[in-house]
Amino acid sequence: VAGHAASRAAAVAVMATSGYARETGAGDFVRRGLPRATLPVALGLAGACTLPLAWLDWPAAITGLAAAAILTAVFRRWSLRRLGGHTGDTLGAAEQLAQTALLLAVAAWS
């Protein structure tokens, strides 16, 4: 449950920190990025997604979050270089990569 919830923060973080890659499409409304008033709300919700990690051992939770954050940052950078921003598919991929990294790091700690 913790991995599932916390990994959603990866998609929010990528969307909040990069623009939409396409000129048109379903995500066209985020092409110019999130409005300044929305950014604190998005980041606050991303932080709230990590609350279920409180049920884990702290070292495992911190290791898992670090692994997810690092992989999300690397993937975001790749998406910016390769595509010029994010798409719905890259947001889904960021979530899946973050969840996998978090779960593997927590499993390795245990």
Side-chain angles (χ1 to χ4, degrees):
V1 171
H4 182 75
S7 66
R8 296 316 187 256
V12 173
V14 170
M15 187 171 26
T17 60
S18 62
Y20 192 62
R22 298 183 182 155
E23 294 296 320
T24 61
D28 186 49
F29 68 96
V30 294
R31 184 180 49 202
R32 291 180 213 100
L34 296 175
R36 287 198 185 273
T38 307
L39 186 59
V41 173
L43 295 177
L45 288 172
C49 288
T50 64
L51 288 177
L53 291 171
W55 281 279
L56 296 173
D57 292 333
W58 283 106
I62 292 170
T63 303
L65 274 178
I70 290 168
L71 190 55
T72 299
V74 168
F75 181 70
R76 178 189 170 275
R77 186 177 178 124
W78 177 87
S79 295
L80 286 172
R81 262 189 286 127
R82 187 82 171 168
L83 304 173
H86 70 269
T87 66
D89 290 336
T90 60
L91 294 177
E95 180 274 324
Q96 291 293 300
L97 288 169
Q99 183 171 2
T100 302
L102 189 142
L103 293 174
L104 287 174
V106 169
W109 187 264
S110 299

